[in-house]
């Protein structure tokens, strides 16, 4: 049961749970945005697909020792999570160069990063989520140096687990974005979502893009691509 709406973002609404004030209900929307909200559209079924995909991935990570906010999927478009204080950072992990890093730093498209590269962005729409370094993060968030190290270690562990999972369903995990939050006891857990909205996934056979780049670049049918990801995950898990 939902209580009050706490926050509405680009892809989800966040409600306080009526039965436990320490828990939230994430409600996935059909809206898609790209380029920091400059491109917008709505796709019937996207909310359900991302909710289902994220609800398969979070327990999979939990079983492999990654602490997350996830509790359970409630219905087609909603999931129950622990309330956390979100750390305003987007932690991006890259296995292959594409997207913003090719434009920002001139890496040639498809350059492999071994070990994987971790980048921090400051979560701030008004500033267009700028790339920042650790010293900026210490000033802009109330994280400590130890917590930043912990975030990066967790991000790389998640990368190892997810790369293997996606590889087993013939998808290359190119890059992805994570968000972390603090539980009331101060511990840091993985929050937000992991879905084709927040990952780049390339089919290992056909090399097709199977993620939100389909929408960003107008190169296919987003719903059938997300449906394909869900079907492959369901067949594997
Ligand atoms: N990403 C995201 N939300 C953002 C920015 C990036 O989920 O606000 C994801 C994106 O889908 C990709 C990865 O983070 O998997 C790296 O994105 P990049 O920095 O290349 O940005 P983009 O090219 O999407 O602007």
């Amino acid at each position: 049961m939902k209580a009050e709406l706490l926050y509405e973002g680009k892809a989800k609404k966040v409600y306080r749970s009526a039965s436990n004030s320490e828990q939230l209900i994430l409600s996935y929307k059909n809206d898609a945005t790209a380029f920091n909200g400059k491109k917008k559209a709505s796709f019937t079924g996207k909310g359900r697909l991302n909710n289902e995909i994220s609800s398969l991935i979070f327990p999979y990570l939990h079983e492999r020792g990654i602490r997350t906010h996830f509790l359970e999927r409630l219905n087609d478009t909603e999931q129950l999570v622990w309330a956390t204080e979100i750390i305003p950072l987007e932690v991006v992990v890259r296995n292959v160069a594409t997207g913003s890093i090719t434009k920002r730093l001139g890496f040639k498209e498809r350059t492999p990063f071994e070990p994987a590269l971790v980048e921090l962005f400051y979560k701030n729409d008004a500033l267009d989520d700028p790339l920042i370094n650790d010293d900026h993060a210490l000033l802009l968030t109330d994280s400590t140096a130890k917590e930043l190290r912990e975030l990066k270690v967790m991000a790389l562990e998640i990368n190892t687990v997810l790369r293997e999972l996606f590889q087993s369903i013939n998808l290359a995990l190119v890059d992805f974005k994570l968000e972390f939050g603090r539980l009331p006891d101060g511990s840091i857990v993985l929050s937000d979502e992991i879905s084709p909205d927040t990952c780049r996934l390339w089919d290992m056979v056909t090399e097709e893009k199977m993620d939100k780049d389909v929408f960003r670049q107008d190169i296919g049918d987003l719903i059938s691509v997300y449906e394909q990801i869900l079907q492959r995950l369901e067949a594997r898990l």
Side-chain angles (χ1 to χ4, degrees), residues 40-57:
K40 286 187 203 163
S42 182
F43 297 92
T44 305
K46 179 169 109 47
R48 174 184 65 81
L49 289 162
N50 279 350
N51 182 42
E52 293 195 8
I53 291 167
S54 215
S55 297
L56 288 174
I57 292 177

Side-chain angles (χ1 to χ4, degrees), residues 169-181:
I169 54 171
N170 266 318
L171 293 167
L173 177 61
V174 171
D175 58 28
F176 57 99
K177 184 265 301 181
L178 301 173
E179 294 182 27
F180 293 89

Side-chain angles (χ1 to χ4, degrees), residues 10 35-36 90-94 98-104 119 121 129 174-179 192 196-201 211-213 216:
K10 296 189 200 94
F35 312 117
N36 200 25
E90 300 200 335
V91 181
V92 168
V93 181
R94 300 180 187 274
T98 193
S100 71
I101 198 164
T102 60
K103 296 177 199 99
R104 190 180 349 105
E119 293 180 328
F121 294 82
D129 298 343
V174 171
D175 58 28
F176 57 99
K177 184 265 301 181
L178 301 173
E179 294 182 27
D192 197 48
D197 268 14
T198 63
C199 300
R200 284 197 175 95
L201 300 163
D211 54 59
K212 203 166 86 172
D213 275 351
R216 291 190 188 96

Side-chain angles (χ1 to χ4, degrees), residues 99-118:
S100 71
I101 198 164
T102 60
K103 296 177 199 99
R104 190 180 349 105
L105 296 174
F107 283 102
K108 208 166 156 269
E109 188 74 29
R110 291 173 180 265
T111 306
F113 295 124
E114 186 58 56
L117 181 66
V118 181

Side-chain angles (χ1 to χ4, degrees), residues 34-76:
F35 312 117
N36 200 25
K38 288 172 200 88
K39 178 170 179 173
K40 286 187 203 163
S42 182
F43 297 92
T44 305
K46 179 169 109 47
R48 174 184 65 81
L49 289 162
N50 279 350
N51 182 42
E52 293 195 8
I53 291 167
S54 215
S55 297
L56 288 174
I57 292 177
F58 272 69
Y60 184 83
L61 290 171
H62 176 82
E63 284 160 21
R64 279 148 192 84
I66 308 288
R67 300 192 64 205
T68 84
H69 71 160
F70 184 82
L71 288 161
E72 60 172 326
R73 184 168 76 84
L74 297 171
N75 55 46
D76 272 6

